[in-house]
Amino acid sequence: MTPAPYKIHKFDVIDSTNTRARRMALESAPEWTVVAARAQQQGRGRYRRKWESPSGKGLWFSIILRPEIPLEKVNLINLSAALSVRSFLEKKILREGKQNEGIISLKWPNDVLANQRKICGILLESSTSVNQLDFLIVGIGINVNHLISDFSPAIRQRATSLRLITGRYYDLDELLDEFLQQFYYELNGSLNRNFEGIIPEYEACMLYKGEMITIDLHHQIIKGKLAGLDSNGFLRVKTQTGERLITSGEIWQNGQE
Ligand code: BTN
């Protein structure tokens, strides 16, 4: 059997797999070093939000990457990760014959939603020096074995899990291996092709394309029509004063904010 192209460091409980992976990257861990935990005590989401990571309920893991890409292309790794999670989950859902529930969409930049409920979040953190990328930490949280009562009341209406969709209980170690194999193959393919084709692929399953949205830039709110993505994966929004390129922020469909 060919050895796995990644090395997983498994923990029962950890503060955050992203924090640990960052420390290992600073200590020169090679790329495709993976930190995975059954539970996180301080799982982090975007914008310093807490990420619920109860024991044995989901895949909580972080991957160290050292791609040789210009800084402006880093967001494309975000999109690649979201696309890989999407196709992985879709395969799992279709395998159980749940065609109608197999509608997985992506909310820019990297939320993965099933039937409009969040099933996966991705936290990409980078370390740079002199305008050059040193390493990336791709932190991925996938809700797998949760029943609805496993989510806190605060997110119960907005979250879902693979088990809630397929009715199956999953072996998390097997699932992680399956996902990492797929992601390794897909991300390297994407890097070798210089990310060719990724923008239309992402746009095809992106929520709210062509619709009126509100974007919270965390220092300003803007409204406009989501026109699509530019070649670096940034959001093109048509506002009343012209087209704007959004590099980071949170989006909602108008009326949902
Ligand atoms: C988000 O949607 O805001 C991103 C959530 C990312 C959660 C994952 S779980 C594994 C990794 N470790 C963390 O502390 N966060 C990420």
Side-chain angles (χ1 to χ4, degrees):
M1 215 165 75
T2 37
Y6 46 81
K7 182 169 178 9
I8 312 179
H9 297 256
K10 290 187 181 167
F11 296 84
D12 260 345
V13 186
I14 207 169
D15 48 359
S16 153
T17 56
N18 262 41
T19 307
R20 180 63 63 106
R22 183 182 181 80
R23 203 183 311 152
M24 292 170 76
L26 289 169
E27 288 162 0
S28 307
E31 70 168 350
W32 290 98
T33 297
V34 179
V35 178
R38 286 190 70 75
Q40 295 184 115
Q41 288 170 326
Q42 289 165 45
R44 296 188 273 117
R46 294 174 76 217
Y47 303 109
R48 294 166 183 252
R49 294 194 187 113
K50 179 178 148 51
W51 179 262
E52 292 184 11
S53 324
S55 184
K57 297 293 172 186
L59 292 182
W60 327 125
F61 63 102
S62 303
I63 308 164
I64 299 173
L65 296 177
R66 299 180 183 276
E68 289 178 7
I69 53 170
L71 282 181
E72 67 272 14
K73 299 280 175 204
V74 162
N75 194 43
L76 296 173
I77 303 268
N78 242 338
L79 305 191
S80 300
L83 280 167
S84 283
V85 171
R86 175 181 182 272
S87 66
F88 181 72
L89 293 176
E90 224 167 49
K91 266 188 278 168
K92 294 283 163 204
I93 292 168
L94 295 180
R95 188 173 303 164
E96 300 304 319
K98 306 277 177 186
Q99 278 81 351
N100 297 336
E101 278 119 300
I103 303 156
I104 308 248
S105 38
L106 301 177
K107 186 173 148 204
W108 185 88
N110 49 15
D111 281 354
V112 184
L113 290 96
N115 310 319
Q116 312 266 352
R117 285 169 176 252
K118 188 149 161 173
I119 190 162
C120 165
I122 301 171
L123 180 66
L124 191 93
E125 296 179 314
S126 59
S127 169
T128 58
S129 53
V130 210
N131 275 335
Q132 203 179 309
L133 187 62
D134 288 335
F135 62 81
L136 282 175
I137 306 294
V138 185
I140 304 183
I142 306 178
N143 300 330
V144 177
N145 285 328
H146 297 66
L147 295 174
I148 202 73
S149 56
D150 294 318
F151 293 109
S152 75
I155 62 167
R156 208 166 278 167
Q157 305 300 322
R158 292 179 280 126
T160 192
S161 74
L162 197 52
R163 183 179 179 188
L164 285 170
I165 299 169
T166 64
R168 257 196 66 174
Y169 188 87
Y170 292 85
D171 179 308
L172 293 175
D173 289 329
E174 261 176 37
L175 210 62
L176 179 60
D177 260 322
E178 266 185 69
F179 174 74
L180 287 172
Q181 271 167 35
Q182 179 189 318
F183 185 45
Y184 180 86
Y185 174 79
E186 288 179 351
L187 182 64
N188 283 325
S190 208
L191 285 164
N192 289 338
R193 290 190 304 275
N194 215 357
F195 296 108
E196 196 194 316
I198 191 174
I199 300 297
E201 194 188 339
Y202 190 96
E203 284 180 335
C205 47
M206 175 168 73
L207 277 175
Y208 316 140
K209 183 153 183 277
E211 295 175 30
M212 294 303 291
I213 55 163
T214 300
I215 309 143
D216 187 349
L217 302 180
H218 293 274
H219 57 90
Q220 189 192 2
I221 302 271
I222 55 176
K223 287 181 190 283
K225 187 173 175 182
L226 200 170
L229 301 179
D230 83 337
S231 59
N232 293 326
F234 298 135
L235 207 61
R236 291 170 39 232
V237 181
K238 290 205 163 104
T239 70
Q240 280 183 339
T241 52
E243 186 166 303
R244 282 192 63 168
L245 204 56
I246 309 295
T247 56
S248 88
E250 282 184 279
I251 64 175
W252 292 277
Q253 194 178 28
N254 277 6
Q256 287 192 339
E257 58 275 41

